[in-house]
Amino acid sequence: MNLIVRHRRHGPRPTMASNRYTHLLSCGLALACFALSLPITAAGRDIGLAAGSSYDIGSGRLDEALSLLVHQSNVQLLYSPSLVRGKRSAGLKGRYPPAQALSRLLDDQGLTAVSVTPNTYLLQPAPVRPQRQLRNGSAADSRAMQATAHAALTELASVTVVGSRIPRNSFDISVPVNVITAEDIEKSGAGTLYELLREQPGMLGHNPVEIAYEGRIGSLQPIVAAASVSLYSLGPRGTLFLVDGRRVASFGFVTPNLGGLFDLNSIPLSFIDHIEILRGAASANYGADAAAGAVNIVLKRDVQGAEAVVRYGVSGRGDAQIRGASVSYGAQTRDDGNLFVSADLLARDALAGDARNWHTQDLTRFGLPDYRVPLGVLSRNFGTTFPLQQCRSAGNDPDSPYCSVDAPRYATLQPEIRVNSVYARWQQPLGDATSLEIAARGSRVEQALQTPPNIDYLFITDPGHPNVDIPDDLPDDYISSPVRYALYDLGLPRNRTTSETFDLAIGLRGSVGRWNLKLDLSRSAQRTNSTVSNLLRSSGGDSRTLSRYRVFGENDPALLELMSSTIHPGGRNTLDSFEANLDGALFRMAGGPVRLTAGVAIRTERLVDSPDPLQLEFLPSQLVVPATSHDISLHSTSTFAELRLPLHRKLQVDLAANHDRDNRFSGSLSTRIGLAWAPHERIRLRASVGRTRRAPSPQEWRNPYEGQLRPELMMPLATPLLTPCVELGQDRCLLGGGAGENPNLRPESSRSASVGITLAPTDAFDLRLERYQIERWDEFGLSNAMYHPFLHPEGLIRDANGVLYRISEHLANIGASKSSGWEASMNYRFRGQTWGTFDFYLGGHYLLRHATSTIYAPQRIDDAGYNNPKLSLLGSVKWRYGDWDTTLAMRHFGRSRSYGPLSDCRIEHSDAGKCANPSMTLFNLRLSYSGFDRWTLSLNVNNLMDRQPINYRAFSGNGYNIAMDDPYGRYYIFSTAYRF
């Protein structure tokens, strides 16, 4: 019976349509876990502790020999079928440890085996000799080694262990997985991990400038700067980030609108070996917060030798310079251990808002209105503005700061970044079947940005006022109207955020008989401090203070100091985790061994939010919501299991379940079931359905308490649901405001489904097509009991006599969303005898629908193609010839509407034919030369054609799409690498 381990399939989660099926799955997994708990027989212990196994493998095809080795030794092999196709083996007889048996079997095959776990090995092409050695050999040897080098880069992507806690081949798992290799990272031209991931199809970038405003650009709340991405427009709450398969602490600051974030700037690209993007329901494998998928960032390990890299980048306009350097060293320790250490420095200058002409609210160059904010006296209906005398003196020029404010010109396009990072990893075998791993990573990230000037309203418009130059011919309908002006002399609000991250993980890997054991103990800590200056105090905008302020005049520095404020908020988040799991074969079925992984994870997360005292006193008026200090601890336990059932050599069923429970919420179960069918060795069909129930995170538990430190007086209408209350005149109630917990809160639920096909008609060509759908309901959000008391009766707080005296905000189940779309990718490899090798890649994502609704507005709103385009593509052509390596990469995103889903195209936009923002295609070019001994020189030219963003959206567009567009223009990156 042959075991085709190259088709190691993954265990999707059982998504059961009813409780009956969920119970059946849970019972099945429980029985499997019970089987694990049975004592291991003496024979089993002998197998695990023996110095080796006896082999009797005759000569013949290599794939058949590998199958016999697996059967006779009970090890697990992962490899791509094309690696062994057409190869023959001389056979193997005798008793050997698994590693030695594989070495003898693969001798002279150009392949090597790398240990993944004590009982699992990954086959890959043998290391390639340096180019300088190739020049001493024949031309045929050179071409052969070039082909092997390419195989090492392409085949590994198809055998990376991803998508499951059971090691498996990515070609064979039942959920879609994308892998970004080290080569892809090197040739991308990206300066940071955020820039790399936001360009991937189906990914949505969350720019540091956007996060600084907590998703509310224009609110003048630059409290913190960070960078992140999410899958399928479902936001950061639905995408889980892992580092080496482990959870890490969220960003130390809490962002109420975006939830807990992972700051991608904290991991430099030089540390990364590859990135695995598991799309679709990953909750049954990794926890309930992976409803849209998981991103696993795998750091480098088992590296030999030393390398130093220096990078320098500059835009074609001479700004936004980037300077970087990294050093790394890897060496083998005794008993086949490995030590790897690396350090990375990165510095990038800010890109100012006025550095690019397109960054403006003035759209007259497109035949559209000027949407800059006019300054002056507002009419009583706030419809038009009458200019002040200073504006008249400037000729009513809209470019004059006396006449209008073009907010984007003052707002940073890309923040200044300084990153210092170190990373070390030590792996040491402790005998034949056990190994110890210790990894530590630390980083310090500084990010700085600025925002537009404070804009306020002065309610004094009498002509001749000593502090305001109001023209004498002010129309009657402007009398007693406010003056809108910009506080330029107060200074631009500025933010500088410093975040420090430290991760420590200790892992023990071993085997007992047929079972692999994995123990992990880790601590992840993230601390963030921010300085926000030049904020307008709430007391700075009162009538007494403003009566002394001279509009567009010279003001007393003492007065400006009284009006402005600087705050220093901070926060930290720590995550302590212990995880244990077993992986092994239970018994054999028609298609091979039934494999089970089961385990438990215990976590303690602590979130500490430390606002500045001024925030607690409600003094900075620009804060949308005043802040409140928090110290929230969450203790959680997760139990998980995955089962791989090879019903037939060509048919496999995967089951997975994950049960989460914490000290604040009752347990929630996530399940998934998947199917993988190979009707032909070059065709793979897969399907997966999943169901997830997610409890609130610490960041969400904190959300209702924003701004509720002291009661806020409210006077709503005395409707029947609010009475009896303390009534005022005109049938109104006098009520206090506050926050509390919701005893009726339900878990946030989601279900997902995906179907896909992978075709590999030849060794040189493969095609993947996926269709997915993710639906969420009972989404968490803030209640609104004042306007919807019938929906939130628990928020109506009454005294002993039944009189309503307070309305409490709380976390509630208020939202729903549904996202669906298509994904596709294609690879083609061409081997030329004369012109080297060519690789073609094209990947794409098409968002069919992204509909959202709330209990307050039940009708679903589909915003696909509005805020962001439906179509995104990523492609590349790679050419290798001798010592030269050339890559031409393409990124394309389609059209998007220039108005929101709740409105129609504006009349002026319709008349100008500007109801849709145009599509955009960007090209990047990379040239690399390795003909010098030990040296590699590279040049990247990003945005080769110097395409400029075009965005017609009024008011909020600011000339570009902050999540998609490239703000730099043509950009050059030079790098030099030297291997010792």
Side-chain angles (χ1 to χ4, degrees), residues 181-188 190-194 196 264-275 297-301 303 305-311 322-330 340-346 419-424 441-443 975-977 979:
T181 66
E183 181 198 23
D184 297 329
I185 295 172
E186 180 183 1
K187 296 182 178 182
S188 67
T192 64
L193 180 56
Y194 163 74
L196 174 73
L264 296 175
N265 288 330
S266 64
I267 299 183
L269 293 175
S270 64
F271 290 0
I272 300 174
D273 180 77
H274 64 275
I275 301 170
I297 303 165
V298 181
L299 304 183
K300 291 180 178 178
R301 64 184 76 187
V303 177
E307 183 180 51
V309 180
V310 177
R311 300 176 297 276
I322 185 171
R323 299 163 297 279
S326 63
V327 293
S328 62
Y329 172 76
F340 177 73
V341 293
S342 183
D344 188 281
L345 304 176
L346 174 70
V419 185
N420 304 325
S421 305
V422 293
Y423 166 61
R441 178 178 61 89
S443 66
S975 65
T976 301
R979 289 194 61 84

Side-chain angles (χ1 to χ4, degrees), residues 187-190 198-199 314-317 351 356 358 887-891 893 920-926 940-950 964-973:
K187 296 182 178 182
S188 67
R198 81 171 189 130
E199 295 182 356
V314 64
S315 77
R317 293 158 181 80
L351 183 60
R356 299 295 181 265
W358 48 261
T887 301
L888 180 65
M890 177 272 297
R891 182 166 71 100
F893 47 92
M920 184 70 69
T921 303
L922 305 176
F923 291 95
N924 297 342
L925 176 66
R926 182 180 189 272
N940 284 79
V941 185
N942 296 342
N943 197 346
L944 183 65
M945 309 305 293
D946 198 26
R947 296 292 303 273
Q948 304 299 301
I950 298 176
M964 306 290 295
D965 277 315
D966 167 42
Y968 296 108
R970 186 180 294 117
Y971 199 91
Y972 304 93
I973 301 177

Side-chain angles (χ1 to χ4, degrees), residues 897-975:
R897 303 189 186 186
S898 62
Y899 54 96
L902 295 178
S903 61
D904 296 326
C905 181
R906 301 172 70 92
I907 295 177
E908 53 270 25
H909 285 64
S910 179
D911 292 342
K914 307 297 185 185
C915 290
N917 301 311
S919 60
M920 184 70 69
T921 303
L922 305 176
F923 291 95
N924 297 342
L925 176 66
R926 182 180 189 272
L927 301 175
S928 178
Y929 180 70
S930 56
F932 302 114
D933 187 21
R934 299 180 181 271
W935 289 91
T936 300
L937 307 179
S938 301
L939 168 65
N940 284 79
V941 185
N942 296 342
N943 197 346
L944 183 65
M945 309 305 293
D946 198 26
R947 296 292 303 273
Q948 304 299 301
I950 298 176
N951 193 289
Y952 306 131
R953 176 161 289 204
F955 302 111
S956 61
N958 295 340
Y960 77 124
N961 184 323
I962 193 171
M964 306 290 295
D965 277 315
D966 167 42
Y968 296 108
R970 186 180 294 117
Y971 199 91
Y972 304 93
I973 301 177
F974 308 88
S975 65

Side-chain angles (χ1 to χ4, degrees), residues 747-816:
E748 183 178 273
S749 299
S750 68
R751 57 172 167 254
S752 64
S754 66
V755 294
I757 182 172
T758 298
L759 303 174
T762 69
D763 291 347
F765 178 78
D766 63 77
L767 175 68
R768 179 180 66 88
L769 182 66
E770 307 284 345
R771 174 74 161 85
Y772 72 88
Q773 178 173 294
I774 302 174
E775 186 173 7
R776 295 193 303 191
W777 63 97
D778 285 341
E779 293 179 332
F780 300 129
L782 288 183
S783 64
N784 191 342
M786 184 170 70
Y787 295 104
H788 302 278
F790 58 95
L791 294 175
H792 305 289
E794 65 277 1
L796 306 180
I797 311 301
R798 302 181 183 274
D799 61 19
N801 297 319
V803 177
L804 181 67
Y805 68 93
R806 179 183 174 192
I807 291 183
S808 175
E809 281 191 348
H810 54 264
L811 201 62
N813 304 107
I814 67 170

